[in-house]
Amino acid sequence: SQTIHQWPATLVQPVGSPLSLECTVEGTSNPNLYWYRQAAGRGLQLLFYSVGIGQISSEVPQNLSASRPQDRQFILSSKKLLLSDSGFYLCAWNQGGNEQFFGPGTRLTVL
Amino acid sequence: DAKTTQPPSMDCAEGRAANLPCNHSTISGNEYVYWYRQIHSQGPQYIIHGLKNNETNEMASLIITEDRKSSTLILPHATLRDTAVYYCIVRSGNQGGKLIFGQGTELSVKP
């Protein structure tokens, strides 16, 4: 069966520090991968999606970047965090089907 | 993507049916209606989707009007564990699986 992992589960970082969040998927190959962010009390916003290794599409201009170094690994990064980067970050995958599967999320607090 | 409109919140008594409405008056012919829910501090969970016929699975039923401008998600016997934010999303099948989330409906199931 397929599973999706995200780490860390929670993170507290100072403004201006770098960020690296990791997402890995098991039990499938060549998935579509997605990064979403959910600010407090708001809906999910799609940040990036990838249909293959090295292929990244950005949905909104922002302080973040994404990379897909391996087929089932998706990384969200920042060189310098802003206060507005705080939120709940969710990784998701699907594979040409209709259902999108979400990971457990990383709660980021920037102080 | 067609825009959806949902009531911000609803209450439902435990054991009764929960009927969650969604308006999508600008939906186009190749767009599907998807429902996801998000329990607090977790990633969203797929519930059901449909094109124009009514659909039922082990979680819920989806009723789509004949003109496809609105739909209703029905949880036939709501339990306390169904308390969550429910998102109605429309998307076409050729968009790589991207989901555009609105604000959803916060359903509170009360004993």
Tab-separated table of all heavy atoms in Angstrom, chain A residues 32 34 36 38 41-46 49 51 59 88 90 94 97-105 107, chain B residues 32 34 36 38 40-47 49 87 91 93 95-104:
chain	number	residue	atom	x	y	z
A	32	ASN	N	2.365	12.291	-9.169
A	32	ASN	CA	2.294	13.740	-9.141
A	32	ASN	C	2.422	14.150	-7.669
A	32	ASN	O	1.809	13.528	-6.800
A	32	ASN	CB	0.957	14.249	-9.677
A	32	ASN	CG	0.744	13.889	-11.129
A	32	ASN	OD1	1.680	13.863	-11.919
A	32	ASN	ND2	-0.491	13.597	-11.480
A	34	TYR	N	2.551	17.435	-4.694
A	34	TYR	CA	2.023	18.772	-4.451
A	34	TYR	C	2.461	19.280	-3.071
A	34	TYR	O	2.547	18.510	-2.109
A	34	TYR	CB	0.488	18.760	-4.482
A	34	TYR	CG	-0.105	18.101	-5.704
A	34	TYR	CD1	-0.283	16.711	-5.755
A	34	TYR	CD2	-0.491	18.857	-6.813
A	34	TYR	CE1	-0.816	16.102	-6.869
A	34	TYR	CE2	-1.023	18.249	-7.932
A	34	TYR	CZ	-1.187	16.877	-7.948
A	34	TYR	OH	-1.706	16.277	-9.060
A	36	TYR	N	1.064	22.216	-0.413
A	36	TYR	CA	0.034	23.178	-0.062
A	36	TYR	C	0.436	23.869	1.240
A	36	TYR	O	1.151	23.312	2.064
A	36	TYR	CB	-1.319	22.489	0.170
A	36	TYR	CG	-1.966	21.876	-1.035
A	36	TYR	CD1	-1.641	20.579	-1.438
A	36	TYR	CD2	-2.941	22.565	-1.756
A	36	TYR	CE1	-2.248	19.997	-2.529
A	36	TYR	CE2	-3.561	21.980	-2.848
A	36	TYR	CZ	-3.215	20.699	-3.224
A	36	TYR	OH	-3.824	20.126	-4.306
A	38	GLN	N	-1.488	26.094	4.506
A	38	GLN	CA	-2.730	26.531	5.133
A	38	GLN	C	-2.379	27.482	6.253
A	38	GLN	O	-1.810	27.082	7.268
A	38	GLN	CB	-3.505	25.338	5.676
A	38	GLN	CG	-4.870	25.686	6.216
A	38	GLN	CD	-5.677	24.442	6.525
A	38	GLN	OE1	-5.139	23.429	6.971
A	38	GLN	NE2	-6.971	24.494	6.276
A	41	GLY	N	-6.709	29.401	10.238
A	41	GLY	CA	-8.098	29.757	10.005
A	41	GLY	C	-8.476	29.949	8.552
A	41	GLY	O	-9.538	30.507	8.256
A	42	ARG	N	-7.628	29.486	7.629
A	42	ARG	CA	-7.917	29.701	6.207
A	42	ARG	C	-7.843	28.389	5.438
A	42	ARG	O	-7.416	27.370	5.964
A	42	ARG	CB	-6.934	30.716	5.633
A	42	ARG	CG	-6.912	32.026	6.410
A	42	ARG	CD	-6.079	33.074	5.731
A	42	ARG	NE	-6.659	33.503	4.467
A	42	ARG	CZ	-6.129	34.457	3.722
A	42	ARG	NH1	-5.008	35.047	4.101
A	42	ARG	NH2	-6.671	34.815	2.584
A	43	GLY	N	-8.260	28.453	4.172
A	43	GLY	CA	-8.231	27.261	3.338
A	43	GLY	C	-6.837	26.956	2.827
A	43	GLY	O	-5.887	27.710	3.042
A	44	LEU	N	-6.701	25.835	2.139
A	44	LEU	CA	-5.409	25.431	1.609
A	44	LEU	C	-5.080	26.178	0.323
A	44	LEU	O	-5.938	26.378	-0.525
A	44	LEU	CB	-5.410	23.933	1.300
A	44	LEU	CG	-5.286	22.989	2.474
A	44	LEU	CD1	-6.596	22.852	3.205
A	44	LEU	CD2	-4.800	21.633	2.003
A	45	GLN	N	-3.811	26.537	0.200
A	45	GLN	CA	-3.333	27.198	-1.004
A	45	GLN	C	-2.272	26.331	-1.656
A	45	GLN	O	-1.296	25.943	-1.006
A	45	GLN	CB	-2.730	28.567	-0.649
A	45	GLN	CG	-2.192	29.334	-1.840
A	45	GLN	CD	-1.503	30.615	-1.426
A	45	GLN	OE1	-0.818	30.672	-0.404
A	45	GLN	NE2	-1.676	31.659	-2.219
A	46	LEU	N	-2.470	26.019	-2.926
A	46	LEU	CA	-1.479	25.234	-3.660
A	46	LEU	C	-0.247	26.086	-3.928
A	46	LEU	O	-0.354	27.190	-4.466
A	46	LEU	CB	-2.074	24.743	-4.978
A	46	LEU	CG	-1.144	23.925	-5.874
A	46	LEU	CD1	-0.721	22.634	-5.189
A	46	LEU	CD2	-1.828	23.612	-7.202
A	49	TYR	N	3.594	22.120	-7.665
A	49	TYR	CA	3.292	20.748	-8.024
A	49	TYR	C	4.352	20.251	-9.005
A	49	TYR	O	5.013	21.044	-9.683
A	49	TYR	CB	1.879	20.572	-8.572
A	49	TYR	CG	1.636	21.104	-9.958
A	49	TYR	CD1	1.732	20.285	-11.070
A	49	TYR	CD2	1.272	22.434	-10.139
A	49	TYR	CE1	1.484	20.774	-12.334
A	49	TYR	CE2	1.017	22.933	-11.404
A	49	TYR	CZ	1.117	22.096	-12.500
A	49	TYR	OH	0.868	22.585	-13.753
A	51	VAL	N	5.211	16.905	-11.805
A	51	VAL	CA	4.762	15.707	-12.513
A	51	VAL	C	5.916	14.755	-12.787
A	51	VAL	O	5.707	13.681	-13.367
A	51	VAL	CB	4.036	16.069	-13.821
A	51	VAL	CG1	2.786	16.894	-13.527
A	51	VAL	CG2	4.968	16.823	-14.761
A	59	GLU	N	2.760	27.884	-8.306
A	59	GLU	CA	1.418	28.427	-8.463
A	59	GLU	C	1.311	29.880	-8.036
A	59	GLU	O	0.472	30.619	-8.544
A	59	GLU	CB	0.421	27.595	-7.649
A	59	GLU	CG	0.172	26.227	-8.241
A	59	GLU	CD	-0.479	26.315	-9.607
A	59	GLU	OE1	-1.614	26.823	-9.717
A	59	GLU	OE2	0.162	25.875	-10.593
A	88	PHE	N	0.566	25.702	8.145
A	88	PHE	CA	0.513	24.246	8.127
A	88	PHE	C	0.818	23.817	6.699
A	88	PHE	O	0.074	24.151	5.777
A	88	PHE	CB	-0.886	23.812	8.576
A	88	PHE	CG	-1.054	22.353	8.843
A	88	PHE	CD1	-0.075	21.611	9.475
A	88	PHE	CD2	-2.223	21.710	8.477
A	88	PHE	CE1	-0.243	20.262	9.747
A	88	PHE	CE2	-2.414	20.352	8.743
A	88	PHE	CZ	-1.425	19.634	9.382
A	90	LEU	N	1.326	21.054	3.818
A	90	LEU	CA	0.851	19.716	3.486
A	90	LEU	C	1.405	19.270	2.141
A	90	LEU	O	1.368	20.020	1.161
A	90	LEU	CB	-0.681	19.699	3.435
A	90	LEU	CG	-1.363	19.815	4.794
A	90	LEU	CD1	-2.727	20.439	4.656
A	90	LEU	CD2	-1.469	18.446	5.436
A	94	ASN	N	-0.867	12.129	-6.148
A	94	ASN	CA	-1.797	11.263	-6.841
A	94	ASN	C	-1.087	10.721	-8.061
A	94	ASN	O	0.051	11.062	-8.353
A	94	ASN	CB	-3.123	11.950	-7.178
A	94	ASN	CG	-3.015	12.955	-8.299
A	94	ASN	OD1	-1.925	13.312	-8.738
A	94	ASN	ND2	-4.147	13.416	-8.776
A	97	GLY	N	-5.061	9.301	-11.111
A	97	GLY	CA	-6.399	8.953	-10.662
A	97	GLY	C	-7.126	10.174	-10.153
A	97	GLY	O	-6.683	11.292	-10.298
A	98	ASN	N	-8.234	9.961	-9.546
A	98	ASN	CA	-9.031	11.079	-9.099
A	98	ASN	C	-8.737	11.504	-7.665
A	98	ASN	O	-8.921	12.647	-7.318
A	98	ASN	CB	-10.510	10.719	-9.221
A	98	ASN	CG	-10.902	10.431	-10.641
A	98	ASN	OD1	-10.782	11.288	-11.495
A	98	ASN	ND2	-11.336	9.222	-10.902
A	99	GLU	N	-8.324	10.590	-6.850
A	99	GLU	CA	-8.146	10.862	-5.440
A	99	GLU	C	-6.745	11.385	-5.165
A	99	GLU	O	-5.765	10.866	-5.689
A	99	GLU	CB	-8.374	9.581	-4.646
A	99	GLU	CG	-8.301	9.729	-3.146
A	99	GLU	CD	-8.709	8.451	-2.433
A	99	GLU	OE1	-9.177	7.519	-3.111
A	99	GLU	OE2	-8.548	8.405	-1.207
A	100	GLN	N	-6.669	12.444	-4.364
A	100	GLN	CA	-5.378	12.991	-3.961
A	100	GLN	C	-5.171	12.631	-2.494
A	100	GLN	O	-6.060	12.829	-1.669
A	100	GLN	CB	-5.357	14.503	-4.161
A	100	GLN	CG	-3.976	15.095	-4.223
A	100	GLN	CD	-3.991	16.504	-4.799
A	100	GLN	OE1	-3.662	17.457	-4.107
A	100	GLN	NE2	-4.353	16.645	-6.056
A	101	PHE	N	-3.973	12.119	-2.174
A	101	PHE	CA	-3.685	11.661	-0.819
A	101	PHE	C	-2.754	12.656	-0.137
A	101	PHE	O	-1.722	13.032	-0.695
A	101	PHE	CB	-3.018	10.280	-0.858
A	101	PHE	CG	-3.858	9.214	-1.495
A	101	PHE	CD1	-3.763	8.964	-2.857
A	101	PHE	CD2	-4.741	8.472	-0.746
A	101	PHE	CE1	-4.537	7.985	-3.462
A	101	PHE	CE2	-5.515	7.482	-1.331
A	101	PHE	CZ	-5.420	7.243	-2.685
A	102	PHE	N	-3.125	13.044	1.056
A	102	PHE	CA	-2.366	14.052	1.785
A	102	PHE	C	-1.546	13.429	2.906
A	102	PHE	O	-1.950	12.452	3.527
A	102	PHE	CB	-3.312	15.099	2.389
A	102	PHE	CG	-3.865	16.054	1.376
A	102	PHE	CD1	-4.932	15.693	0.562
A	102	PHE	CD2	-3.323	17.319	1.222
A	102	PHE	CE1	-5.445	16.570	-0.391
A	102	PHE	CE2	-3.829	18.206	0.283
A	102	PHE	CZ	-4.889	17.825	-0.527
A	103	GLY	N	-0.400	14.055	3.177
A	103	GLY	CA	0.432	13.661	4.288
A	103	GLY	C	-0.071	14.254	5.592
A	103	GLY	O	-1.056	14.998	5.607
A	104	PRO	N	0.618	13.959	6.696
A	104	PRO	CA	0.176	14.442	8.015
A	104	PRO	C	0.458	15.918	8.256
A	104	PRO	O	-0.084	16.499	9.189
A	104	PRO	CB	0.971	13.568	8.977
A	104	PRO	CG	2.196	13.197	8.208
A	104	PRO	CD	1.756	13.065	6.782
A	105	GLY	N	1.309	16.519	7.436
A	105	GLY	CA	1.558	17.951	7.552
A	105	GLY	C	2.705	18.317	8.485
A	105	GLY	O	3.098	17.543	9.354
A	107	ARG	N	3.690	21.684	10.875
A	107	ARG	CA	3.241	22.979	11.389
A	107	ARG	C	4.469	23.841	11.650
A	107	ARG	O	5.285	23.525	12.523
A	107	ARG	CB	2.427	22.809	12.669
A	107	ARG	CG	1.721	24.092	13.083
A	107	ARG	CD	0.599	23.836	14.074
A	107	ARG	NE	-0.442	22.953	13.549
A	107	ARG	CZ	-1.407	23.340	12.722
A	107	ARG	NH1	-1.457	24.591	12.301
A	107	ARG	NH2	-2.322	22.480	12.324
B	32	TYR	N	-15.426	18.072	-12.949
B	32	TYR	CA	-15.983	17.190	-11.951
B	32	TYR	C	-16.187	17.952	-10.645
B	32	TYR	O	-15.504	18.938	-10.360
B	32	TYR	CB	-15.029	16.016	-11.683
B	32	TYR	CG	-14.915	15.018	-12.793
B	32	TYR	CD1	-14.195	15.302	-13.945
B	32	TYR	CD2	-15.526	13.770	-12.703
B	32	TYR	CE1	-14.075	14.382	-14.970
B	32	TYR	CE2	-15.416	12.836	-13.711
B	32	TYR	CZ	-14.695	13.156	-14.843
B	32	TYR	OH	-14.587	12.239	-15.862
B	34	TYR	N	-15.712	17.527	-6.660
B	34	TYR	CA	-15.008	16.730	-5.662
B	34	TYR	C	-15.359	17.242	-4.265
B	34	TYR	O	-15.573	18.433	-4.067
B	34	TYR	CB	-13.487	16.870	-5.818
B	34	TYR	CG	-12.912	16.108	-6.977
B	34	TYR	CD1	-13.003	16.602	-8.270
B	34	TYR	CD2	-12.261	14.897	-6.777
B	34	TYR	CE1	-12.467	15.897	-9.343
B	34	TYR	CE2	-11.719	14.187	-7.841
B	34	TYR	CZ	-11.829	14.696	-9.109
B	34	TYR	OH	-11.300	13.997	-10.166
B	36	TYR	N	-13.782	16.940	-0.303
B	36	TYR	CA	-12.768	16.529	0.657
B	36	TYR	C	-13.186	17.057	2.024
B	36	TYR	O	-13.962	18.013	2.118
B	36	TYR	CB	-11.393	17.130	0.313
B	36	TYR	CG	-10.650	16.427	-0.786
B	36	TYR	CD1	-11.032	16.580	-2.125
B	36	TYR	CD2	-9.561	15.618	-0.513
B	36	TYR	CE1	-10.342	15.933	-3.138
B	36	TYR	CE2	-8.855	14.967	-1.520
B	36	TYR	CZ	-9.257	15.138	-2.826
B	36	TYR	OH	-8.568	14.507	-3.831
B	38	GLN	N	-11.463	17.965	6.101
B	38	GLN	CA	-10.255	18.130	6.875
B	38	GLN	C	-10.626	18.189	8.350
B	38	GLN	O	-11.254	19.159	8.794
B	38	GLN	CB	-9.492	19.390	6.467
B	38	GLN	CG	-8.155	19.533	7.159
B	38	GLN	CD	-7.385	20.749	6.709
B	38	GLN	OE1	-7.959	21.709	6.202
B	38	GLN	NE2	-6.069	20.732	6.896
B	40	HIS	N	-9.539	18.635	12.164
B	40	HIS	CA	-8.597	19.592	12.742
B	40	HIS	C	-7.184	19.033	12.858
B	40	HIS	O	-6.982	17.938	13.370
B	40	HIS	CB	-9.096	20.039	14.114
B	40	HIS	CG	-8.235	21.070	14.750
B	40	HIS	ND1	-8.061	22.320	14.208
B	40	HIS	CD2	-7.468	21.037	15.864
B	40	HIS	CE1	-7.248	23.015	14.965
B	40	HIS	NE2	-6.863	22.261	15.978
B	41	SER	N	-6.217	19.819	12.322
B	41	SER	CA	-4.788	19.509	12.415
B	41	SER	C	-4.374	18.264	11.636
B	41	SER	O	-3.315	17.707	11.897
B	41	SER	CB	-4.349	19.354	13.872
B	41	SER	OG	-4.474	20.579	14.552
B	42	GLN	N	-5.216	17.842	10.691
B	42	GLN	CA	-4.853	16.715	9.825
B	42	GLN	C	-4.884	17.159	8.375
B	42	GLN	O	-5.396	18.235	8.037
B	42	GLN	CB	-5.811	15.548	10.030
B	42	GLN	CG	-5.804	14.967	11.423
B	42	GLN	CD	-6.736	13.765	11.544
B	42	GLN	OE1	-7.086	13.133	10.546
B	42	GLN	NE2	-7.137	13.459	12.764
B	43	GLY	N	-4.340	16.330	7.489
B	43	GLY	CA	-4.441	16.604	6.065
B	43	GLY	C	-5.835	16.290	5.556
B	43	GLY	O	-6.563	15.499	6.147
B	44	PRO	N	-6.257	16.935	4.462
B	44	PRO	CA	-7.572	16.650	3.899
B	44	PRO	C	-7.710	15.190	3.472
B	44	PRO	O	-6.730	14.531	3.132
B	44	PRO	CB	-7.637	17.583	2.680
B	44	PRO	CG	-6.702	18.688	3.006
B	44	PRO	CD	-5.584	18.030	3.770
B	45	GLN	N	-8.947	14.730	3.484
B	45	GLN	CA	-9.271	13.347	3.129
B	45	GLN	C	-10.304	13.367	2.012
B	45	GLN	O	-11.325	14.066	2.118
B	45	GLN	CB	-9.831	12.622	4.357
B	45	GLN	CG	-10.310	11.200	4.100
B	45	GLN	CD	-11.079	10.645	5.279
B	45	GLN	OE1	-11.613	11.382	6.096
B	45	GLN	NE2	-11.143	9.328	5.373
B	46	TYR	N	-10.056	12.617	0.964
B	46	TYR	CA	-11.010	12.505	-0.137
B	46	TYR	C	-12.290	11.827	0.347
B	46	TYR	O	-12.247	10.859	1.112
B	46	TYR	CB	-10.376	11.692	-1.266
B	46	TYR	CG	-11.332	11.215	-2.330
B	46	TYR	CD1	-11.700	12.041	-3.389
B	46	TYR	CD2	-11.864	9.927	-2.284
B	46	TYR	CE1	-12.562	11.581	-4.378
B	46	TYR	CE2	-12.723	9.471	-3.256
B	46	TYR	CZ	-13.071	10.300	-4.308
B	46	TYR	OH	-13.930	9.845	-5.269
B	47	ILE	N	-13.433	12.346	-0.122
B	47	ILE	CA	-14.703	11.722	0.234
B	47	ILE	C	-15.338	11.077	-0.992
B	47	ILE	O	-15.618	9.879	-1.012
B	47	ILE	CB	-15.689	12.740	0.838
B	47	ILE	CG1	-15.096	13.391	2.090
B	47	ILE	CG2	-17.019	12.070	1.157
B	47	ILE	CD1	-15.943	14.531	2.628
B	49	HIS	N	-16.509	11.973	-5.516
B	49	HIS	CA	-16.547	12.907	-6.631
B	49	HIS	C	-17.568	12.417	-7.652
B	49	HIS	O	-17.968	11.243	-7.647
B	49	HIS	CB	-15.172	13.081	-7.276
B	49	HIS	CG	-14.752	11.935	-8.152
B	49	HIS	ND1	-14.257	10.755	-7.642
B	49	HIS	CD2	-14.753	11.795	-9.496
B	49	HIS	CE1	-13.960	9.951	-8.635
B	49	HIS	NE2	-14.253	10.533	-9.781
B	87	TYR	N	-14.823	20.569	2.042
B	87	TYR	CA	-14.488	21.382	0.877
B	87	TYR	C	-15.130	20.795	-0.376
B	87	TYR	O	-14.986	19.604	-0.666
B	87	TYR	CB	-12.979	21.434	0.658
B	87	TYR	CG	-12.200	22.099	1.764
B	87	TYR	CD1	-11.556	21.344	2.748
B	87	TYR	CD2	-12.082	23.487	1.812
B	87	TYR	CE1	-10.822	21.957	3.754
B	87	TYR	CE2	-11.350	24.096	2.809
B	87	TYR	CZ	-10.726	23.335	3.779
B	87	TYR	OH	-9.990	23.943	4.774
B	91	ARG	N	-12.997	20.702	-10.737
B	91	ARG	CA	-11.815	20.737	-11.588
B	91	ARG	C	-12.018	19.814	-12.781
B	91	ARG	O	-12.773	18.865	-12.714
B	91	ARG	CB	-10.561	20.340	-10.819
B	91	ARG	CG	-10.442	18.873	-10.494
B	91	ARG	CD	-9.043	18.546	-10.014
B	91	ARG	NE	-8.858	17.132	-9.768
B	91	ARG	CZ	-8.417	16.258	-10.684
B	91	ARG	NH1	-8.149	16.664	-11.917
B	91	ARG	NH2	-8.252	14.994	-10.367
B	93	GLY	N	-10.532	17.143	-15.675
B	93	GLY	CA	-9.696	15.963	-15.544
B	93	GLY	C	-8.329	16.078	-16.165
B	93	GLY	O	-7.495	15.199	-16.025
B	95	GLN	N	-5.981	18.573	-15.602
B	95	GLN	CA	-5.197	19.613	-14.945
B	95	GLN	C	-4.120	19.046	-14.043
B	95	GLN	O	-3.663	19.706	-13.134
B	95	GLN	CB	-6.131	20.513	-14.128
B	95	GLN	CG	-7.072	21.332	-14.975
B	95	GLN	CD	-7.978	22.185	-14.111
B	95	GLN	OE1	-8.804	21.661	-13.379
B	95	GLN	NE2	-7.825	23.487	-14.183
B	96	GLY	N	-3.723	17.813	-14.248
B	96	GLY	CA	-2.652	17.250	-13.447
B	96	GLY	C	-3.009	17.035	-12.005
B	96	GLY	O	-2.141	16.855	-11.169
B	97	GLY	N	-4.276	17.049	-11.692
B	97	GLY	CA	-4.687	16.740	-10.332
B	97	GLY	C	-4.678	17.899	-9.376
B	97	GLY	O	-4.916	17.721	-8.189
B	98	LYS	N	-4.405	19.106	-9.839
B	98	LYS	CA	-4.371	20.251	-8.923
B	98	LYS	C	-5.740	20.486	-8.308
B	98	LYS	O	-6.761	20.404	-8.987
B	98	LYS	CB	-3.937	21.516	-9.665
B	98	LYS	CG	-2.505	21.494	-10.152
B	98	LYS	CD	-2.117	22.852	-10.692
B	98	LYS	CE	-2.860	23.172	-11.972
B	98	LYS	NZ	-2.459	24.473	-12.528
B	99	LEU	N	-5.766	20.780	-7.037
B	99	LEU	CA	-6.990	21.103	-6.324
B	99	LEU	C	-6.928	22.548	-5.852
B	99	LEU	O	-5.938	22.955	-5.254
B	99	LEU	CB	-7.173	20.174	-5.121
B	99	LEU	CG	-7.345	18.680	-5.417
B	99	LEU	CD1	-7.370	17.893	-4.119
B	99	LEU	CD2	-8.617	18.449	-6.207
B	100	ILE	N	-7.973	23.300	-6.136
B	100	ILE	CA	-8.070	24.673	-5.678
B	100	ILE	C	-9.104	24.701	-4.566
B	100	ILE	O	-10.302	24.556	-4.819
B	100	ILE	CB	-8.473	25.626	-6.820
B	100	ILE	CG1	-7.556	25.418	-8.035
B	100	ILE	CG2	-8.455	27.068	-6.328
B	100	ILE	CD1	-6.107	25.709	-7.773
B	101	PHE	N	-8.637	24.881	-3.329
B	101	PHE	CA	-9.523	24.843	-2.176
B	101	PHE	C	-10.119	26.220	-1.901
B	101	PHE	O	-9.427	27.226	-1.960
B	101	PHE	CB	-8.757	24.398	-0.926
B	101	PHE	CG	-8.428	22.933	-0.890
B	101	PHE	CD1	-7.337	22.442	-1.587
B	101	PHE	CD2	-9.199	22.051	-0.157
B	101	PHE	CE1	-7.018	21.093	-1.558
B	101	PHE	CE2	-8.899	20.707	-0.119
B	101	PHE	CZ	-7.811	20.225	-0.819
B	102	GLY	N	-11.420	26.225	-1.566
B	102	GLY	CA	-12.063	27.430	-1.045
B	102	GLY	C	-12.006	27.400	0.474
B	102	GLY	O	-11.136	26.754	1.056
B	103	GLN	N	-12.946	28.108	1.094
B	103	GLN	CA	-12.961	28.177	2.563
B	103	GLN	C	-13.704	27.012	3.197
B	103	GLN	O	-13.537	26.735	4.378
B	103	GLN	CB	-13.585	29.497	3.021
B	103	GLN	CG	-12.764	30.708	2.636
B	103	GLN	CD	-11.351	30.666	3.192
B	103	GLN	OE1	-11.129	30.483	4.379
B	103	GLN	NE2	-10.366	30.796	2.311
B	104	GLY	N	-14.546	26.324	2.429
B	104	GLY	CA	-15.250	25.160	2.936
B	104	GLY	C	-16.350	25.475	3.925
B	104	GLY	O	-16.628	26.640	4.257
